[in-house]
Amino acid sequence: MNDNNELKEMVRQKYTAIANQEVSVNRSSCCGAGECSTEVYNIMTDDYSPMDGYVPDADLGLGCGLPTEFAGIKEGDTVVDLGSGAGNDAFVARAATGADGRVIGIDFSEAMITKAKANAAKLDYGNVEFRLGDLENIPMKSEMADVVVSNCVLNLVPDKPRVFSEMFRIMKVGGHFSVSDIVLEGELPEAIRQAAEMYAGCVSGAIQKGTYLDLISKAGFVDITVQKEKVIFIPDDILLKYMDKDQIETFRSGSTGIYSITVFGRKAEACCGDGCCA
């Protein structure tokens, strides 16, 4: 499956289904995709429950980090959450930005937007909104965001240079982002790389860590920092859908690593060349 539109439609359909399934199913699989694992309950997600603004109904267990914890959100900020799902990170961001700030969630699944809006209505937040949109063409004007966050979503976007360019466009000068995502070191086995469900589950859509960080730099961001990194272990009972036991043993003993990283980057002021900045 190489066509970008086919990939995007596959992801859209999968995450529409995820919006309507039990949270326990999401958390025992890979970002909600594929069959459940009986070996572990939580493969990728981190625990949001101690964080201010946490709303259990909005936590579908789809993330691979805690980007809002590292985002440095201040009161009054405008925060944009890319791939906002049911609103989990948006509501945590709202607790940090306060009633004087603004939080905008973007997702391309109508089912997720419906779920997020229902959660926001229960909270009666007037400064949190959710928009249907494609992250390769974010439905926002330029230079609106003080902070951009995203949790295990950008690896699902086929045109990754485009989404980083869009992040740069919507961000104010001096603004920054904190993004959690899945990256690789070494090459995935062909069986996993070609599996559609594993793509929707964040793994086979991941790219090399060095390439990922280089794309961020090429988009124009500076001060790029890996704020947190953890190893992602895919249980055997999931891998057995795509590989036999000998292939799994070879994979385990090889040099390939699957990681969740949380990355920071900043949109610098533009220097006019004579020592001043505009």
Side-chain angles (χ1 to χ4, degrees), residues 141-204:
K141 294 179 180 179
S142 299
E143 299 189 0
M144 288 184 63
D146 295 292
V147 182
V148 173
V149 296
S150 186
N151 196 347
C152 216
V153 172
L154 303 190
N155 49 55
L156 298 174
V157 180
D159 191 346
K160 293 172 178 63
R162 173 73 181 183
V163 73
F164 286 122
S165 175
E166 280 289 275
M167 285 172 57
F168 191 86
R169 178 185 65 79
I170 67 169
M171 193 177 296
K172 297 176 184 177
V173 173
H176 64 273
F177 71 82
S178 183
V179 167
S180 296
D181 234 336
I182 300 298
V183 296
L184 306 174
E185 290 191 351
E187 295 298 325
L188 283 178
E190 184 72 7
I192 295 178
R193 193 176 62 82
Q194 292 295 332
E197 283 192 345
M198 289 294 277
Y199 186 92
C202 307
V203 177
S204 65

Side-chain angles (χ1 to χ4, degrees), residues 207-251:
I207 61 176
Q208 296 295 310
K209 177 182 175 182
T211 302
Y212 189 94
L213 297 176
D214 188 51
L215 289 177
I216 295 172
S217 178
K218 287 180 177 178
F221 293 105
V222 299
D223 299 336
I224 300 164
T225 307
V226 176
Q227 297 171 302
K228 182 179 179 180
E229 180 172 308
K230 68 176 182 180
V231 175
I232 300 298
F233 179 85
I234 308 299
D236 286 0
D237 60 352
I238 289 179
L239 291 180
L240 280 168
K241 292 183 62 183
Y242 311 102
M243 309 163 69
D244 61 32
K245 291 184 178 180
D246 289 340
Q247 290 173 319
I248 291 174
E249 184 176 349
T250 300
F251 172 58

